[in-house]
Amino acid sequence: MEDERGKVRALIEMATNSTEREVDPRLLKAIKSVVRYSDPELRLAAQALMDLMKRDHSQVRYLTLLIIDELFMRSKLFRTLVIENLDQLLSLSVGFRRNLPLPAPPAIATILRSKAIEFLEKWNASFGVHYRQIRLGFDYLKNTLRFQFPNLQANAARIQQERREREIKTKEILRNKFEILGQNLSTIKEEIQSTIDEIGECLDIIRAKEENMALAPLDDDDFEEFRSSELRQIRLDSLKEGEKVHENNDNTVVFDALRELYKLLMTKHMGSVQESISVLIRVEVPDNRLRDSMLKELIDIRNRLVSVKKKCEESGCALATNVKEEEEEEEEDFWEEGKIGPTEKGSSSTPSKPKQKLQNLAVASTSGEIKNEQSDNNELRKTDSNSPRSKLLSEAPVVEWGSFLGNWGLDRDFMANQRGLELDNHWGRVDYDAVIPAEKIAELNLQATFYKEEPVEIQPCRAPLRKGGLCQRRDLKVCPFHGPIIPRDDEGNPINQKNPSSDENPIQKNSLIDDETPLDLGSDLSEHLSEQLAKQAIQNVRGREHEEGKKRKIDKQSLNRAKLAKVMEHNEAVLRNAALASTSRSEAVGEDIEVTNGKKSSTRNKKKTLASMLQNKVTTKDRLAQRLLNTRARGATTRQLTMGEEDTYRENFPNQW
Amino acid sequence: MWKQIGGREAGQIRPNSFSNRVKSNRVSSLQLSNYKDIVSPHRGAVNSLQVDLTEGRYLLSGASDASVAVYDVQRATDYEGGGLIAKHKSIVVVDKQHEQGHKYAVSSAIWYPIDTGLFITGSYDHYVKVWDTNSTQVVMNFKMPGKVYRTAMSSLATSHMLIAAGTEDVQVRLCDIASGAFAHTLSGHRDGIMTVEWSTSSEWVLVTGGCDGAIRFWDIRRAGCFRVLDQSQSQLGRRPPLLERSALNKVSMSKSSSVGQNLSAKLRPQQRKSTNGNGIKQSPIGRIPAKASARQRLHPGMLSGQDRATAHYGAVTGLKITDDGMYLLSAGSDSRIRLWDVQSGCNTLVNFETARLQTSKAIQIATSQDPALVFVPCMTAVKAFDVWSGKTRMAFRGHYEYVNCCWFSSQDQELYTGGSDRKILVWSPSRLISDESDGESMKDQDNWSD
């Protein structure tokens, strides 16, 4: 029993003897498990904790307080034990008694105080009803001593309340929407149905014409009337792919109507249906059956819309390309067209202002268009290599592939919030008209280009080795074994030895000796000798001239240097005088800094202990204060003031004193 | 408990002793009440507390912020915490905003002993005011020569309506509510009078304690004080039984004559003037023979003014006469509590285990009759001592600053304490188990998560 009794005390001692900000969780767990099953242990623990709270060290008190809080929140017996001495506990942890301030170190003392106040608030919130003492302490600190409580509870409650209000508001809005929807559903349905019907009719007409047109390719003459040979080929290809409806003078009206209807369908109806579905999903109404049936209907409508859309796209693709090809034909400039394409793409894929909608009639899905462009490109490459395109290609910069290529050369604003994501209500209200300006896009798409070193093939040394074979070392200029790398023949002999005499570096010699080919190149040498001598002479003359020039330069420099040295000497003398006048203090300060630095490093090296926390560190502030308060400093400032008179002189000769 | 009830039913236990047993049981289990909160409107130290003597229902408190408040301690004004905590809010508040209110700290607030229609306040602004409780208007105003430290009214008085006021001044003044004037001016103290207390056995006897450390007994029908308590005059323990007393009297008689002090009052009942006169004649001779002629001219009653005996070193800060009127408890700034035998005027030499007492302010002591306990504010705590042995029975810790006053309501066996932390705390016997177990067991339990 005795060792058992000591156990919890030892555990608590251990847990509080630390410099950490937290109690070691394992120790804490151990304490809890010991205390949980034995009341005498708990009493002992309470006793030990109260003793520790009296320790003259804020860190110990802080950790003790943490343990107390842990046990306080859990054990009723512990609560009753602690409550009896609550005023003592509070005075030790909050330090509200003037004659009992919190002990050093002050940094932890402030943490201790704030923590204690926080705990008291927590305790008051959870157990205040049962313990008058807690209420009293809380009330005393709050109302009499006016301590600032963190007010966690109230804040949390307020936030909760705000959130609830917001939810209620959104629910209200949803319900309103739902009611409106319920009223409008039939009209919406009718409208959609009518558009779908119209689209169907249009498609029927086109199909009928298409069947007529299917005969047309057979009639070549007729075909050639309005299409060039290349495009005829394209046409044939596309016709082979089949199913593509094309527009001509006869069915333009129908196509226009179709496009308009399609637009209407996509922008207005699709949107409204999506929106109402989302409303139905989110709304909470007492009558679920009505909602479900409405939801079902809407989903049906949406599916129908999607299928119609698909149909339209199937016909619309061909239609769009036709338009483009005609334009190409007329303008004879392919790349101009490239710029138009994307704008059309953008306007068709994003529902922008209604005016634009009417102007840009090209109705096509983006994917289809891209495909078409690509196919066009391929065809162009195939057909004529001399086209302006190939010319431009030859001088076009090569850029790494990236998503920005999609918007290459694009000069339009970008809709920020229309990327096919339902952004609504995730982050509050969404401004669908938000626009990223074109300059910003360009800025964002600015590509960093990295310099890439061109791979250089480093030549092997190829000097003959003693053991046979050639040296395979690849060095840039000089092989560490065989000297400079020079072109050699297959056996390793240098092909071109220009001026061995002037060049004569020892490594070269060594290599020659190593090679053990004692001047069997003599004949070569004699042949080149005269040439080399001449070269040498020229070099010598040039070198001398060069040297003379150098000398002159050096002379000039030395003159300058002498002048400078004079000035510097003067400066140094002045500095020395100044130092002599004011040195002792500044020296002392310097030493001081060194000393404190040394102390700091030593404490850093030492393992942190509770005792070390109590040591006062000499802070910069202290030092500054000390220095400022010094009379010597005052004297220095007066001296500085008198020296102000010399300023004019100094300005004239800025590098002299 | 049940056994006692059974005994009472069978007639084995007398009603008086039964109720005393129950009461003493309850008193011994006093603790800070969790279900009774007095919401103090005061913004200063609470200096005085009293529950009215007629109904035992209305608590009167006076505080340093010149405010006086009345609470109903029987019926709560509202409840909190699911009906668990009864809040007693003040039903009457008089503070500085009141046109007739005091300007400075109220040092003493007492009920008119006959009913709750009047109460009396004394303040540092030199005034003693009598208030009508129902209209909260001042009925009467007494201007005092200095700060008023304590006022008192006799609970037994049938023939007079005198307020005894202890002030900065050396004289005790008795203010007559009937006439609105000072009826008496009792002089004898050499310094301000910290506390005044009427005897609980005689309506004419007043006890005062001064800053000079003297405790004086006055018979208001006569001039001068008839007794000055001396801490060196002592007897051991309680008053000896009657038979032994005569023998003891002889001893003390011889002692007193040798000392040459006026001890006759303690030897014989004060009504017997002849012996008193003897004593007076004796005492001055030994003491100051040179001034004999001057003394001859003094009224016999005034002679006690020459007596410089002290009951405490330093000021006497608190006085309380036990309910039977036989003993007097006094507290001094020397951190001592003394128990005096009123009859003999002797210090009974009971050693009360006080650690420290507040020295600068008058404190209010309370006693309980049946387990004879005295409740004394000792710095931040209130301690309950056994009157006869001086042993600490209980300590009530709850205040965060010095406790100034306490009042024991013998009817409810509740203790009220007021401190400098502006709080009035209620200490009540723990509730019966049956009503305790319903609310508390819901939430206040062990909560081990691991």
Side-chain angles (χ1 to χ4, degrees):
Chain A
M1 195 63 211
E2 200 49 44
D3 57 328
E4 270 292 300
R5 288 192 144 251
K7 200 172 156 194
V8 73
R9 193 177 275 273
L11 278 173
I12 289 170
E13 289 272 357
M14 218 194 302
T16 51
N17 190 14
S18 143
T19 57
E20 302 296 316
R21 281 284 167 282
E22 298 282 331
V23 184
D24 184 2
R26 279 180 303 130
L27 280 173
L28 190 61
K29 198 152 206 171
I31 292 169
K32 281 194 276 187
S33 64
V34 168
V35 148
R36 182 175 181 181
Y37 298 107
S38 119
D39 281 355
E41 283 294 292
L42 190 63
R43 283 172 202 282
L44 204 66
Q47 188 60 43
L49 286 169
M50 280 314 288
D51 288 347
L52 279 172
M53 277 311 283
K54 288 172 194 151
R55 197 69 71 78
D56 216 12
H57 196 299
S58 280
Q59 173 71 14
V60 176
R61 289 193 187 181
Y62 176 70
L63 292 176
T64 312
L65 187 71
L66 291 180
I67 300 173
I68 287 178
D69 176 56
E70 283 289 328
L71 297 181
F72 192 93
M73 295 305 284
R74 285 173 173 76
S75 162
K76 182 176 178 179
L77 178 62
F78 189 80
R79 279 198 287 275
T80 52
L81 290 174
V82 165
I83 282 300
E84 277 168 20
N85 281 323
L86 188 70
D87 58 333
Q88 195 183 13
L89 176 68
L90 285 181
S91 70
L92 289 174
S93 58
V94 183
F96 59 84
R97 296 251 153 86
R98 204 165 300 139
N99 53 350
L100 282 174
L102 292 181
I108 296 166
T110 52
I111 300 173
L112 172 67
R113 173 176 297 129
S114 62
K115 205 76 185 170
I117 288 173
E118 193 188 313
F119 283 153
L120 182 63
E121 191 186 16
K122 188 170 76 179
W123 296 348
N124 184 52
S126 32
F127 304 109
V129 182
H130 305 292
Y131 299 99
R132 175 89 170 106
Q133 285 93 336
I134 298 178
R135 271 180 284 152
L136 264 181
F138 181 74
D139 195 53
Y140 178 69
L141 290 189
K142 189 172 187 180
N143 297 332
T144 309
L145 299 183
R146 309 255 173 225
F147 270 96
Q148 204 62 50
F149 278 84
N151 232 351
L152 295 175
Q153 206 84 16
N155 282 346
R158 209 187 52 231
I159 289 165
Q160 192 74 24
Q161 176 72 18
E162 275 172 14
R163 190 182 301 151
R164 219 174 296 131
E165 275 173 14
R166 219 179 303 135
E167 271 171 18
I168 288 168
K169 211 179 271 176
T170 52
K171 263 181 200 166
E172 191 64 30
I173 290 168
L174 277 177
R175 200 165 299 131
N176 284 343
K177 274 188 185 170
F178 175 70
E179 277 163 17
I180 292 167
L181 186 66
Q183 289 161 8
N184 294 349
L185 189 63
S186 56
T187 56
I188 291 173
K189 262 196 289 184
E190 274 172 25
E191 274 177 31
I192 291 173
Q193 195 53 51
S194 69
T195 22
I196 287 174
D197 288 347
E198 279 173 39
I199 287 175
E201 280 167 23
C202 288
L203 283 176
D204 282 347
I205 293 168
I206 291 168
R207 256 203 218 109
K209 289 202 173 157
E210 169 75 0
E211 274 161 26
N212 296 339
M213 288 285 286
L215 301 173
L218 300 175
D219 191 359
D220 275 18
D221 301 339
D222 182 44
F223 205 57
E224 254 174 342
E225 271 175 24
F226 55 94
R227 292 192 201 280
S228 70
S229 60
E230 307 145 29
L231 287 166
R232 199 181 111 197
Q233 205 171 348
I234 298 163
R235 282 254 14 96
L236 285 171
D237 286 349
S238 63
L239 280 174
K240 257 174 218 166
E241 285 170 36
E243 278 163 34
K244 294 210 170 148
V245 189
H246 33 262
E247 189 180 355
N248 53 25
N249 295 333
D250 300 337
N251 58 10
T252 319
V253 185
V254 184
F255 267 80
D256 282 350
L258 186 58
R259 273 184 224 121
E260 228 159 288
L261 286 171
Y262 177 81
K263 183 130 287 184
L264 187 72
L265 196 74
M266 284 298 94
T267 54
K268 191 181 159 203
H269 295 321
M270 202 63 170
S272 69
V273 168
Q274 286 288 13
E275 198 184 322
S276 38
I277 286 174
S278 73
V279 166
L280 283 177
I281 287 169
R282 281 181 297 165
V283 79
E284 277 177 28
V285 282
D287 186 17
N288 266 346
R289 269 179 306 146
L290 179 64
R291 193 188 73 167
D292 288 348
S293 66
M294 276 167 79
L295 195 59
K296 230 175 262 173
E297 270 179 55
L298 278 171
I299 289 171
D300 285 346
I301 289 170
R302 193 183 64 177
N303 289 341
R304 219 182 307 156
L305 278 179
V306 169
S307 69
V308 169
K309 182 185 162 198
K310 208 177 273 169
K311 254 190 252 168
C312 281
E313 272 166 15
E314 276 166 9
S315 59
C317 286
L319 186 144
T321 50
N322 279 356
V323 173
K324 237 182 279 169
E325 277 163 14
E326 274 169 8
E327 277 167 356
E328 270 170 52
E329 201 66 354
E330 283 155 15
E331 290 167 14
E332 291 270 28
D333 192 348
F334 183 84
W335 286 101
E336 282 292 321
E337 208 280 325
K339 269 182 195 163
I340 295 164
T343 48
E344 278 177 351
K345 201 200 303 176
S347 63
S348 65
S349 61
T350 58
S352 50
K353 289 162 196 167
K355 249 191 221 166
Q356 271 186 339
K357 272 187 229 164
L358 292 174
Q359 283 168 354
N360 294 324
L361 294 175
V363 180
S365 79
T366 50
S367 60
E369 208 167 34
I370 285 168
K371 217 191 282 166
N372 275 304
E373 262 182 87
Q374 278 172 348
S375 65
D376 282 352
N377 292 350
N378 288 338
E379 277 153 14
L380 270 167
R381 204 172 296 149
K382 255 188 278 168
T383 47
D384 60 340
S385 54
N386 289 333
S387 69
R389 179 192 144 85
S390 60
K391 268 185 246 161
L392 285 166
L393 260 180
S394 65
E395 43 186 78
V398 179
V399 189
E400 293 244 319
W401 186 87
S403 58
F404 68 98
L405 287 175
N407 304 338
W408 184 264
L410 212 63
D411 191 27
R412 66 180 173 83
D413 295 349
F414 192 80
M415 303 303 279
N417 282 328
Q418 300 198 355
R419 276 164 290 183
L421 278 174
E422 186 73 19
L423 288 168
D424 201 12
N425 261 333
H426 283 291
W427 306 102
R429 284 179 57 211
V430 175
D431 180 13
Y432 279 105
D433 296 334
V435 161
I436 303 175
E439 307 93 77
K440 189 77 188 172
I441 295 278
E443 211 175 287
L444 287 171
N445 281 335
L446 194 67
Q447 289 297 306
T449 52
F450 301 99
Y451 168 70
K452 256 193 214 153
E453 209 172 341
E454 282 191 31
V456 182
E457 208 198 337
I458 299 168
Q459 293 298 324
C461 172
R462 284 165 61 83
L465 296 173
R466 219 181 300 172
K467 60 180 181 188
L470 298 174
C471 175
Q472 292 299 320
R473 273 189 68 94
R474 285 166 191 263
D475 293 295
L476 267 181
K477 280 179 184 161
V478 181
C479 173
F481 303 111
H482 307 108
I485 290 155
I486 43 174
R488 292 167 195 265
D489 59 10
D490 290 343
E491 284 155 34
N493 298 322
I495 295 169
N496 186 18
Q497 272 197 326
K498 273 181 190 165
N499 40 1
S501 57
S502 69
D503 236 44
E504 285 215 58
N505 55 30
I507 304 162
Q508 186 73 29
K509 259 189 206 163
N510 283 348
S511 75
L512 286 173
I513 294 161
D514 279 350
D515 290 346
E516 286 183 318
T517 48
L519 296 178
D520 60 340
L521 298 166
S523 55
D524 270 346
L525 257 173
S526 62
E527 272 177 23
H528 290 293
L529 196 61
S530 55
E531 210 179 72
Q532 282 162 5
L533 274 172
K535 270 185 188 171
Q536 178 72 37
I538 291 165
Q539 265 191 351
N540 284 350
V541 169
R542 287 211 179 129
R544 215 170 297 144
E545 273 173 9
H546 192 69
E547 258 177 19
E548 265 180 8
K550 247 188 199 168
K551 222 183 231 168
R552 242 173 281 142
K553 233 187 225 169
I554 286 169
D555 279 352
K556 237 184 234 170
Q557 277 177 352
S558 65
L559 245 163
N560 271 339
R561 225 172 276 153
K563 249 189 219 168
L564 267 173
K566 246 184 174 174
V567 171
M568 264 163 69
E569 225 175 333
H570 173 70
N571 284 353
E572 255 171 12
V574 171
L575 274 173
R576 210 175 304 130
N577 282 342
L580 279 176
S582 71
T583 198
S584 59
R585 181 62 202 161
S586 55
E587 255 179 27
V589 167
E591 278 168 13
D592 201 35
I593 290 165
E594 272 172 21
V595 166
T596 50
N597 282 346
K599 217 190 268 173
K600 242 182 232 168
S601 62
S602 70
T603 47
R604 209 172 293 147
N605 291 340
K606 249 191 280 171
K607 195 181 169 283
K608 265 182 99 184
T609 59
L610 290 173
S612 75
M613 294 175 79
L614 284 176
Q615 273 174 3
N616 255 337
K617 278 172 196 150
V618 182
T619 60
T620 2
K621 207 173 155 192
D622 295 340
R623 264 181 274 128
L624 275 176
Q626 200 186 352
R627 183 130 192 244
L628 280 174
L629 290 172
N630 207 307
T631 47
R632 229 181 272 262
R634 226 176 295 148
T637 49
T638 51
R639 207 178 311 128
Q640 256 179 8
L641 286 174
T642 53
M643 272 164 84
E645 294 163 14
E646 293 172 19
D647 276 355
T648 44
Y649 175 74
R650 245 184 260 162
E651 265 170 24
N652 291 338
F653 300 94
N655 56 352
Q656 283 186 31
W657 286 96
Chain B
M1 181 82 189
W2 297 115
K3 198 178 158 197
Q4 284 178 21
I5 290 171
R8 174 76 202 100
E9 223 172 0
Q12 291 160 353
I13 300 173
R14 305 187 68 83
N16 210 14
S17 73
F18 173 72
S19 76
N20 278 346
R21 272 186 215 182
V22 173
K23 277 183 186 175
S24 65
N25 235 341
R26 277 167 66 81
V27 169
S28 62
S29 67
L30 277 182
Q31 61 183 22
L32 187 59
S33 169
N34 185 41
Y35 50 86
K36 203 168 187 178
D37 272 12
I38 289 180
V39 184
S40 152
H42 302 304
R43 296 169 168 279
V46 179
N47 287 330
S48 167
L49 282 175
Q50 192 186 19
V51 176
D52 76 298
L53 306 170
T54 44
E55 281 180 275
R57 178 170 174 183
Y58 298 103
L59 177 70
L60 178 69
S61 69
S64 293
D65 65 338
S67 64
V68 183
V70 178
Y71 318 85
D72 186 343
V73 292
Q74 305 280 8
R75 191 180 301 159
T77 47
D78 56 356
Y79 289 88
E80 228 175 56
L84 212 61
I85 304 162
K87 293 267 180 194
H88 297 263
K89 291 215 175 96
S90 53
I91 47 180
V92 173
V93 185
V94 178
D95 54 14
K96 268 188 200 167
Q97 269 74 50
H98 194 284
E99 61 204 77
Q100 293 162 309
H102 286 290
K103 279 204 198 71
Y104 304 136
V106 173
S107 55
S108 153
I110 53 165
W111 285 108
Y112 181 62
I114 313 301
D115 59 39
T116 53
L118 290 175
F119 63 85
I120 294 107
T121 58
S123 161
Y124 281 5
D125 64 0
H126 300 193
Y127 277 99
V128 172
K129 291 184 178 178
V130 182
W131 299 79
D132 185 329
T133 317
N134 296 309
S135 61
T136 60
Q137 294 298 313
V138 172
V139 183
M140 215 158 276
N141 226 336
F142 297 97
K143 172 92 168 93
M144 291 290 157
K147 290 178 187 169
V148 180
Y149 288 130
R150 182 69 64 194
T151 54
M153 286 196 84
S154 171
S155 55
L156 312 170
T158 51
S159 57
H160 68 80
M161 289 168 75
L162 294 172
I163 305 163
T167 63
E168 259 182 331
D169 192 42
V170 292
Q171 293 170 325
V172 181
R173 288 173 193 251
L174 302 184
C175 315
D176 192 355
I177 300 178
S179 68
F182 298 133
H184 296 60
T185 306
L186 309 175
S187 49
H189 280 289
R190 289 182 161 70
D191 204 345
I193 292 119
M194 285 291 254
T195 100
V196 290
E197 183 85 10
W198 288 92
S199 163
T200 47
S201 54
S202 161
E203 61 170 313
W204 313 110
V205 175
L206 177 71
V207 187
T208 60
C211 294
D212 55 354
I215 297 171
R216 286 172 184 266
F217 280 67
W218 314 84
D219 186 333
I220 60 168
R221 294 165 301 186
R222 300 188 311 146
C225 77
F226 68 88
R227 185 181 298 154
V228 183
L229 295 185
D230 187 349
Q231 51 188 328
S232 61
Q233 290 293 316
S234 55
Q235 71 182 34
L236 271 175
R238 302 176 76 156
R239 192 179 308 161
L242 270 174
L243 284 177
E244 291 169 36
R245 204 160 95 206
S246 53
L248 196 106
N249 274 353
K250 272 172 202 155
V251 175
S252 57
M253 175 82 93
S254 60
K255 196 167 108 196
S256 71
S257 58
S258 65
V259 171
Q261 281 217 352
N262 179 10
L263 295 172
S264 54
K266 102 188 165 197
L267 298 179
R268 258 147 244 167
Q270 65 256 29
Q271 285 86 354
R272 294 173 65 180
K273 301 263 170 66
S274 56
T275 51
N276 210 355
N278 271 341
I280 289 162
K281 265 169 204 158
Q282 275 178 4
S283 57
I285 295 163
R287 249 152 115 224
I288 332 163
K291 285 190 177 176
S293 57
R295 218 172 308 110
Q296 289 298 329
R297 279 188 273 119
L298 274 175
H299 186 276
M302 298 314 272
L303 277 174
S304 64
Q306 309 289 337
D307 197 336
R308 290 163 185 258
T310 57
H312 284 277
Y313 299 110
V316 177
T317 52
L319 281 177
K320 181 78 185 174
I321 291 186
T322 52
D323 290 344
D324 55 10
M326 304 232 277
Y327 291 90
L328 173 73
L329 284 148
S330 71
S333 56
D334 54 355
S335 292
R336 294 286 155 79
I337 297 169
R338 300 218 157 88
L339 177 69
W340 306 88
D341 189 335
V342 171
Q343 194 62 35
S344 65
C346 281
N347 180 6
T348 56
L349 294 179
V350 176
N351 178 33
F352 290 93
E353 301 164 327
T354 51
R356 268 176 79 198
L357 295 182
Q358 207 179 331
T359 55
S360 56
K361 248 182 175 175
I363 56 173
Q364 195 182 324
I365 305 173
T367 53
S368 79
Q369 177 65 31
D370 198 14
L373 292 178
V374 53
F375 301 94
V376 184
C378 301
M379 306 309 269
T380 63
V382 174
K383 285 184 180 170
F385 301 104
D386 189 300
V387 172
W388 311 123
S389 67
K391 291 263 188 307
T392 311
R393 289 276 173 262
M394 281 171 273
F396 306 100
R397 299 182 181 282
H399 284 283
Y400 280 82
E401 279 167 42
Y402 293 158
V403 184
N404 297 319
C405 52
C406 56
W407 183 267
F408 182 76
S409 157
S410 49
Q411 184 182 315
D412 300 326
Q413 293 88 45
E414 276 181 341
L415 178 72
Y416 305 96
T417 59
S420 298
D421 58 355
R422 312 167 184 187
K423 291 271 176 303
I424 299 169
L425 299 187
V426 185
W427 307 81
S428 55
S430 51
R431 278 177 160 184
L432 293 175
I433 301 136
S434 52
D435 28 317
E436 193 181 12
S437 59
D438 53 353
E440 294 215 13
S441 60
M442 290 197 302
K443 223 172 128 193
D444 187 22
Q445 279 177 335
D446 278 7
N447 176 27
W448 293 97
S449 60
D450 41 359

